[in-house]
Amino acid sequence: MAKFAIITYSTYGHITTLAKEVAKGIEAAGAEAEVFRVPETLPKDVLELIHAPEKPDDIPEIKAEDLTKYDGFVFGFPTRYGAAPSQITSLFDSTGALWATGALYHKPAGFFTSTGTGGGKETTIRNTLSFLSHHGMIYVPLGYAKAFPEITNVEEVQGSSPWGAGTVAGSDGSRVPTALELKTAYIQGQEFAEVATKLAAPLKTGATEVSAPAGETSASAPAEEKKASATESEDAKKPETSASAAKSSEKSGCCVIV
């Protein structure tokens, strides 16, 4: 069973609420989901000034080294001027050792967001893709196909896009995720799990190409390959002279440097 981590940063709890729906969607698709939060970097007095609630005890913190235990990730965080908050970038900044060893190479990842006014939800995700690119990770967007009615709903305010599910928190954080936004988050979890499980399968089984044991020829080797081998062996017995090589190259129009 594929195992995915939902990695969040939530100031007022909106992202945490969406994360639980994403987890339900992943589990509905037959995969395992665990919700984490990144370490808080704001001092306690600042959190008090902005009236941020205490972080939930039932959601553990995640560290860079923990990422290797999972087949893929869904990151959820609010926008900060069209970019990820510093708490999220701090996690990525600590993945240098994983980058050096290629530990996250080809692992799938998706995103969901929360915004105060609705602005920045797409640019926030776009501006975070560089982290995936440098690790060689594969971005899995929500897209339109399975969530078209939800994303294109103009009857009510909603924070989702084809880039990922989302919610609009309001300028003071008082608005909570709606039923429509929660449904979109659930759909994203399902879609991500279905796609990411297929992408993760080769990584779980190891190398995709199986080599024959030393000294043995694979029974499935193409006949042309065997024929080519035999031809090369024969050619090795009849070395071409410099004169004949030059004559041959002259006919083909190429140059031989000796």
Side-chain angles (χ1 to χ4, degrees), residues 88-127:
I88 289 291
T89 58
S90 291
L91 174 67
F92 281 114
D93 288 347
S94 66
T95 59
L98 302 182
W99 171 82
T101 59
L104 304 181
Y105 188 66
H106 278 181
K107 290 198 175 187
F111 299 93
F112 59 98
T113 60
S114 171
T115 71
T117 61
K121 61 187 179 185
E122 294 184 347
T123 55
T124 294
I125 295 174
R126 181 179 179 181
N127 289 335

Side-chain angles (χ1 to χ4, degrees), residues 3 18 23 38 52 69 76 108-109 115 117-118 120 132 191 193 219 232 240-241:
K3 184 166 65 171
L18 289 179
V38 298
K69 303 173 185 176
T115 71
T117 61
L132 305 191
E191 285 294 287
E232 286 172 9
E240 194 172 26
T241 64

Side-chain angles (χ1 to χ4, degrees), residues 2 4 9-10 19 43 49 67 79 87-88 91 97 100 108 110 122 135 138 142 145 147 167 195 199 210 244 253:
F4 302 113
Y9 174 70
S10 189
L49 283 172
L67 299 179
T79 179
Q87 292 84 354
I88 289 291
L91 174 67
E122 294 184 347
H135 277 288
I138 301 171
L142 171 58
T167 185
V195 174
L199 293 172
V210 179
S244 62

Side-chain angles (χ1 to χ4, degrees), residues 209-226:
E209 212 174 289
V210 179
S211 302
E216 294 182 17
T217 302
S218 171
S220 61
E224 291 80 9
E225 202 173 297
K226 294 179 182 177

Side-chain angles (χ1 to χ4, degrees), residues 11 16 18 21 55 66 77 81-82 111 127 132 143 149 152 161 165 175 196 199 207 214 221-222:
T11 308
T16 300
L18 289 179
E21 291 302 311
K55 297 294 186 286
D66 299 326
F77 45 82
Y81 301 105
F111 299 93
N127 289 335
L132 305 191
T152 59
S161 76
R175 183 180 181 275
L199 293 172

Side-chain angles (χ1 to χ4, degrees), residues 202-255:
L203 299 178
K204 293 175 80 69
T205 56
T208 55
E209 212 174 289
V210 179
S211 302
E216 294 182 17
T217 302
S218 171
S220 61
E224 291 80 9
E225 202 173 297
K226 294 179 182 177
K227 185 177 178 182
S229 250
T231 304
E232 286 172 9
S233 297
E234 288 299 317
D235 288 345
K237 295 175 185 176
K238 300 182 290 182
E240 194 172 26
T241 64
S242 297
S244 62
K247 187 176 181 181
S248 174
S249 66
E250 189 177 34
K251 287 181 181 178
S252 63
C254 66
C255 299

